[in-house]
Amino acid sequence: GAVVSQHPSRVICKSGTSVKIECRSLDFQATTMFWYRQFPKQSLMLMATSNEGSKATYEQGVEKDKFLINHASLTLSTLTVTSAHPEDSSFYICSALRDKGETQYFGPGTRLLVL
Amino acid sequence: SQQGEEDPQALSIQEGENATMNCSYKTSINNLQWYRQNSGRGLVHLILIRSNEREKHSGRLRVTLDTSKKSSSLLITASRAADTASYFCATASGSARQLTFGSGTQLTVLP
């Protein structure tokens, strides 16, 4: 099977600090990764599409300067929440797609709490 | 933006009963996928059905797709307490391989 990991699984930070979340495809190369945000009891909302070696594509309403995405290799994408505020507290989930694949493989998620 | 709506929002059944969840979407699709999410965890891919397919089976799962009605259903037969989770449909459209998720159904299977 295809395994995707995320690190950290939980993070608590103070308002104004930056937090980096890593998403790794462990046993396959992922040319495309996706970042989602999920609020309690709600569905997943796509934040951005991360393509290896190029700039991420952000969904409408998602600030690219606040949510920095770097897809530096075929197995790693990072999401940095800059100057985090309490309203950024959420569950962040990444997924990875094989080249020409249709199925997205999801990481276990990162719960962010900003105090 | 969310494309799909799922119903029911919540479903509670007894172990051994069948559970049916429905998903509706708005635009034409390439495929529709069903995912399961246990509380506070990531998503697990269950099944993918392409736009030219009408029905697909995988173990205790049966998925149907009606593109004329822009709807899909997921049937879980002989449910188990371990099936308790949230179930989401997600659609892929056009050349993009992004998924648009439905609102989800929270299934509770009582032992």
Side-chain angles (χ1 to χ4, degrees):
Chain A
V3 180
V4 176
S5 70
Q6 272 183 251
H7 178 79
S9 58
R10 310 172 74 93
V11 57
I12 301 173
C13 69
K14 291 182 179 179
S15 188
T17 60
S18 294
V19 174
K20 181 186 281 189
I21 302 170
E22 294 185 347
C23 177
R24 292 181 186 272
S25 55
L26 298 184
D27 52 359
F28 67 99
Q29 293 187 331
T31 52
T32 304
M33 289 183 171
F34 301 92
W35 286 96
Y36 297 85
R37 184 162 60 179
Q38 184 180 33
F39 291 106
K41 299 193 185 300
Q42 293 189 25
S43 188
L44 279 71
M45 297 297 290
L46 179 65
M47 298 175 66
T49 302
S50 169
N51 294 297
E52 187 268 337
S54 63
K55 289 183 179 180
T57 304
Y58 289 81
E59 294 301 297
Q60 194 171 12
V62 178
E63 299 175 54
K64 63 180 181 181
D65 294 330
K66 179 165 182 65
F67 299 99
L68 301 178
I69 291 172
N70 186 359
H71 194 156
S73 77
L74 286 171
T75 59
L76 174 64
S77 176
T78 60
L79 167 68
T80 301
V81 183
T82 62
S83 187
H85 289 107
E87 58 264 32
D88 297 325
S89 298
S90 188
F91 193 53
Y92 292 87
I93 309 177
C94 72
S95 69
L97 201 55
R98 296 177 194 265
D99 190 28
K100 297 183 176 62
E102 294 176 298
T103 299
Q104 290 187 24
Y105 298 96
F106 283 80
T110 296
R111 186 157 308 277
L112 170 64
L113 177 60
V114 184
L115 302 176
Chain B
S1 60
Q2 278 181 237
Q3 173 176 221
E5 291 295 325
E6 290 183 55
D7 79 272
Q9 288 187 348
L11 177 62
S12 185
I13 59 175
Q14 293 293 135
E15 205 164 27
E17 293 180 340
N18 295 341
T20 300
M21 290 159 266
N22 303 296
C23 166
S24 62
Y25 55 91
K26 296 175 184 171
T27 64
S28 60
I29 61 171
N30 294 332
N31 65 66
L32 185 145
Q33 304 179 38
W34 284 90
Y35 287 84
R36 164 199 167 122
Q37 183 182 36
N38 287 81
S39 180
R41 309 288 289 275
L43 273 70
V44 174
H45 182 261
L46 296 177
I47 197 165
L48 179 153
I49 186 165
R50 293 189 172 81
S51 60
N52 61 352
E53 297 176 308
R54 292 296 166 258
E55 188 171 313
K56 208 161 182 181
H57 297 254
S58 177
R60 293 185 294 114
L61 306 180
R62 172 176 167 254
V63 169
T64 63
L65 179 63
D66 187 336
T67 52
S68 66
K69 295 181 179 178
K70 291 186 168 60
S71 67
S72 174
S73 68
L74 170 68
L75 168 67
I76 303 174
T77 60
S79 64
R80 305 167 182 167
D83 294 331
T84 295
S86 292
Y87 291 82
F88 294 94
C89 67
T91 55
S93 305
S95 58
R97 293 187 290 165
Q98 301 167 343
L99 291 176
T100 302
F101 281 82
S103 51
T105 295
Q106 171 61 51
L107 172 66
T108 302
V109 181
L110 303 170

